[in-house]
Amino acid sequence: QVQLAESGGGLVQAGGSLRLSCAASGRTFSIDAMGWFRQAPGKEREFVAAINWSGSNTYYADSMKGRFTISRDNAKNTVYLQMNSLKPEDTAVYYCAAASPRGTLRLWRLSFSDEYNYWGQGTQVTVSS
């Protein structure tokens, strides 16, 4: 119903910046919010940031505040993740996700992966020291 395609990952030096993109296609009218998660080898998937599509409200994991910025372009059905001051511990596969919840969407719920209905294949981000 909804397809997500991430891009923009790659290798970057510590302290550098990277901008990830996630383009949505299919039944995009059903999307209420989009988010970014990441998963490092051997670790659980963790929440990074989310944005409410209608209200343009944003929500970040505490560890990401001040370094990462999520934004959207409704005309392109695309969400972005600007990552600055990257650290080696940011190395992970970054996943884009789309939420089409029943009822009223609560922004704080978007930190939980089970709130999302659709997932992209992920894009690798590697930060070297």
Side-chain angles (χ1 to χ4, degrees):
Q1 292 181 309
V2 174
Q3 295 80 45
L4 304 174
E6 303 99 332
S7 62
L11 176 65
V12 65
Q13 293 279 74
S17 298
L18 209 58
R19 186 177 179 86
L20 306 183
S21 299
C22 176
S25 60
R27 300 183 184 273
T28 58
F29 58 85
S30 68
I31 299 174
D32 291 321
M34 297 181 71
W36 289 95
F37 289 75
R38 70 184 186 185
Q39 188 167 24
K43 295 185 178 180
E44 295 291 322
R45 186 172 298 183
E46 67 173 335
F47 172 71
V48 176
I51 185 166
N52 182 289
W53 206 252
S54 297
S56 192
N57 296 313
T58 58
Y59 185 55
Y60 297 91
D62 288 341
S63 61
M64 315 300 172
K65 292 179 180 178
R67 295 195 302 125
F68 292 5
T69 303
I70 188 170
S71 61
R72 62 174 172 84
D73 186 336
N74 287 349
K76 296 181 178 180
N77 291 321
T78 299
V79 66
Y80 305 94
L81 183 68
Q82 178 68 45
M83 304 185 293
N84 298 324
S85 301
L86 284 164
K87 306 173 182 179
E89 50 263 45
D90 294 318
T91 296
V93 176
Y94 284 71
Y95 296 92
C96 177
S100 300
R102 295 178 180 178
T104 303
L105 185 147
R106 303 289 187 180
L107 192 62
W108 62 269
R109 293 178 181 173
L110 294 174
S111 64
F112 300 102
S113 60
D114 59 5
E115 289 294 316
Y116 296 86
N117 306 94
Y118 309 100
W119 294 83
Q121 294 299 305
T123 184
Q124 177 70 47
V125 172
T126 302
V127 184
S128 64
S129 58

